[in-house]
Amino acid sequence: MKVLVPVKRVVDFNVKVRVKADNSGVDLANVKMALNPFCEIAVEEAVRLKEKGTATEVVVITVGSSAAQEQLRTALALGADRAILVESADELNSLAVAKLLKALVDKEQPQLVILGKQAIDSDNNQTGQMLGALTGFAQGTFASKVELAGDKVNVTREIDGGLQTVALNLPAIVTTDLRLNEPRYASLPNIMKAKKKPLDVVTPDALGVSTASTVKTLKVEAPAARQAGIKVKSVAELVEKLKNEAKVI
């Protein structure tokens, strides 16, 4: 069984994000980039399926500039077999990425596609669902447990009321939540081996996909600074301020 794992290059979650002076976007100059945390979980789950003997090949994919090869090599060091980079310098929206992934799904014919539920930069939570709509595959989102059983995959997903388990016919798409697993660290020998694993580079044009966007970013702003709190001398003063200033009671 072939497993396809789309991943994304994002600003490292430990880095404090800065907005450009002209408010056109996020300042990425000299910023540490990393594999999206939810994508790491997806790679880990695919590798575990391979270690169990359920999956035979794990293929990682990303869409972005040539610099994204670094994150693909990271995924290869974690246990993936080969990688594909769809090279594009454009800032693509979720639908454009889903269309590119659809083209690669048609080409690779995987039985299972596992991807993170969202990226920590755009935070859209759209690509997995859009890919499901484009391919017509069954989908299980926000997965906290994935079990393969014959020609089906049972996905336990987190919902507002608790947990829901759905049985999906393969081929299927699964998006990962935080509690699915804890990703491993890449060992030095595996990092060295990853340098020799296959990494193919294709373009949107070669896949026959138009990535023209219908969405335009007008302005990016940093969150408003939080105001300092105050101390009160008595419960009566607290109640008075909650009532007259904060107006919450």
Side-chain angles (χ1 to χ4, degrees), residues 111-186:
Q111 285 71 52
L112 186 62
V113 180
I114 305 179
L115 64 161
K117 70 171 185 177
Q118 65 197 79
I120 62 172
D121 52 2
S122 57
D123 220 29
N124 286 330
N125 179 24
Q126 294 176 333
T127 305
Q129 291 88 329
M130 288 177 171
L131 180 59
L134 292 172
T135 58
F137 289 179
Q139 58 178 298
T141 55
F142 314 115
S144 60
K145 187 176 182 180
V146 176
E147 292 180 318
L148 283 160
D151 60 348
K152 292 183 181 294
V153 56
N154 297 321
V155 178
T156 301
R157 55 192 305 269
E158 301 194 356
I159 59 175
D160 290 341
L163 299 176
Q164 177 190 60
T165 301
V166 293
L168 311 176
N169 292 322
L170 295 175
I173 294 171
V174 174
T175 69
T176 62
D177 213 333
L178 283 174
R179 279 159 287 281
L180 179 58
N181 62 52
E182 184 174 344
R184 70 193 68 188
Y185 289 99

Side-chain angles (χ1 to χ4, degrees), residues 25-146:
V26 174
D27 187 1
L28 299 180
N30 301 315
V31 171
K32 182 183 178 183
M33 306 297 284
L35 196 61
N36 180 50
F38 290 102
C39 297
E40 282 190 285
I41 294 170
V43 173
E44 175 66 24
E45 192 65 21
V47 171
R48 290 186 184 187
L49 290 174
K50 184 184 175 186
E51 290 174 344
K52 291 177 183 176
T54 306
T56 55
E57 185 181 28
V58 177
V59 183
V60 290
I61 300 170
T62 196
V63 180
S65 65
S66 59
Q69 291 189 30
E70 178 188 354
Q71 280 63 48
L72 288 177
R73 293 294 180 192
T74 299
L76 292 172
L78 292 173
D81 298 296
R82 60 187 176 93
I84 302 172
L85 169 64
V86 182
E87 191 168 3
S88 174
D90 299 329
E91 186 175 344
L92 305 180
N93 60 24
S94 301
L95 182 57
V97 173
K99 288 179 178 178
L100 292 168
L101 295 178
K102 163 67 164 56
L104 289 170
V105 166
D106 291 342
K107 180 181 178 182
E108 294 288 335
Q109 294 293 306
Q111 285 71 52
L112 186 62
V113 180
I114 305 179
L115 64 161
K117 70 171 185 177
Q118 65 197 79
I120 62 172
D121 52 2
S122 57
D123 220 29
N124 286 330
N125 179 24
Q126 294 176 333
T127 305
Q129 291 88 329
M130 288 177 171
L131 180 59
L134 292 172
T135 58
F137 289 179
Q139 58 178 298
T141 55
F142 314 115
S144 60
K145 187 176 182 180
V146 176

